[in-house]
Amino acid sequence: GNSVTQMEGPVTLSEEAFLTINCTYTATGYPSLFWYVQYPGEGLQLLLKATKADDKGSNKGFEATYRKETTSFHLEKGSVQVSDSAVYFCALIGGTQGGSEKLVFGKGTKLTVNP
Amino acid sequence: EAQVTQNPRYLITVTGKKLTVTCSQNMNHEYMSWYRQDPGLGLRQIYYSMNVEVTDKGDVPEGYKVSRKEKRNFPLILESPSPNQTSLYFCASRRFVGEAFFGQGTRLTVV
């Protein structure tokens, strides 16, 4: 079935550092890919998405590009802020293995940004 | 405002006392699901529903029940809660293939 592997944390950075959180997936066909963010004490919210190969999703300074050739969807931000401290989840849905009924998540990566 | 509403946000209960966590969405989404979130285990799907009166087991359904009598509501029922069901629970809704919208979460403690 479909699966998502993302880098384990925790990740600790200083303010204005560059962020990369790796995410790779296993699925046939063309799933839709997502990054969700969970701030402390809150539910998950969609950060960005991409629905086809070479699409770039972007939001709040974060970016991720759907790479079919490497089955990856790495999250990047050029300059993180303390307010970006949260848990980040990579996820996918769809493809052609009959996985459209299930949103598959990675295990999450906790990011802490220090002033 | 598009939203998924869960209640209660926090609940402490005793072993064996039946409880229900409610979930409601106002986006006319067909698909709803319940997850539990535990440290080191990420999000695990408990049950999902593809439409009214259509429900199916997720990855960890044991000890839980659900019903989908109306499109907007998808309650989670614990008939006889046990301490290993202490967790953070999330309800989510979406269109069939699309991004999910999550509730704020219910932190359940079973003593």
Side-chain angles (χ1 to χ4, degrees):
Chain A
N2 295 343
S3 67
V4 173
T5 303
Q6 67 180 99
M7 64 185 282
E8 306 229 350
V11 174
T12 302
L13 296 173
S14 298
E15 207 163 25
E16 298 184 4
F18 184 85
L19 169 71
T20 300
I21 301 177
N22 291 335
C23 171
T24 57
Y25 67 89
T26 300
T28 56
Y30 293 90
S32 294
L33 302 174
F34 308 92
W35 277 100
Y36 285 85
V37 59
Q38 184 182 25
Y39 298 106
E42 298 186 12
L44 281 73
Q45 54 187 275
L46 181 69
L47 179 60
L48 53 84
K49 67 177 181 180
T51 58
K52 60 183 187 294
D54 300 324
D55 264 3
K56 177 186 282 189
S58 60
N59 186 24
K60 299 182 181 180
F62 291 89
E63 292 183 340
T65 301
Y66 189 141
R67 301 283 188 203
K68 177 70 174 171
E69 65 276 13
T70 55
T71 61
S72 64
F73 193 54
H74 305 320
L75 182 69
E76 297 182 336
K77 187 174 185 182
S79 176
V80 294
Q81 306 300 311
V82 172
S83 57
D84 293 327
S85 298
V87 181
Y88 293 82
F89 293 90
C90 185
L92 72 80
I93 192 168
T96 58
Q97 270 193 328
S100 58
E101 76 282 359
K102 189 173 178 181
L103 183 59
V104 178
F105 287 92
K107 291 201 171 178
T109 302
K110 183 175 182 179
L111 170 67
T112 301
V113 181
N114 294 319
Chain B
E1 180 190 353
Q3 61 184 5
V4 177
T5 304
Q6 285 179 237
N7 280 297
R9 291 289 310 276
Y10 302 92
L11 180 59
I12 300 174
T13 190
V14 296
T15 300
K17 185 176 181 183
K18 181 179 179 180
L19 66 91
T20 300
V21 184
T22 63
C23 174
S24 180
Q25 51 98 359
N26 63 1
M27 294 165 280
N28 202 36
H29 286 164
E30 298 83 13
Y31 198 100
M32 297 185 74
S33 54
W34 277 101
Y35 297 86
R36 61 178 290 173
Q37 184 178 22
D38 301 289
L41 298 176
L43 284 159
R44 294 180 291 170
Q45 191 181 55
I46 302 170
Y47 267 94
Y48 64 93
S49 169
M50 297 172 73
N51 216 323
V52 175
E53 302 292 2
V54 181
T55 63
D56 207 348
K57 297 177 181 178
D59 299 317
V60 288
E62 294 78 21
Y64 304 95
K65 284 177 57 177
V66 293
S67 68
R68 188 93 180 272
K69 293 183 170 53
E70 304 166 284
K71 197 171 187 178
R72 63 169 35 230
N73 295 324
F74 190 45
L76 179 69
I77 303 156
L78 285 72
E79 295 263 356
S80 182
S82 62
N84 65 11
Q85 293 179 296
T86 292
S87 187
L88 180 58
Y89 291 86
F90 289 102
C91 179
S93 75
R94 60 176 167 85
R95 301 212 179 280
F96 192 60
V97 181
E99 67 262 33
F101 292 77
F102 283 81
Q104 289 286 81
T106 296
R107 185 165 294 280
L108 172 66
T109 302
V110 183
V111 298

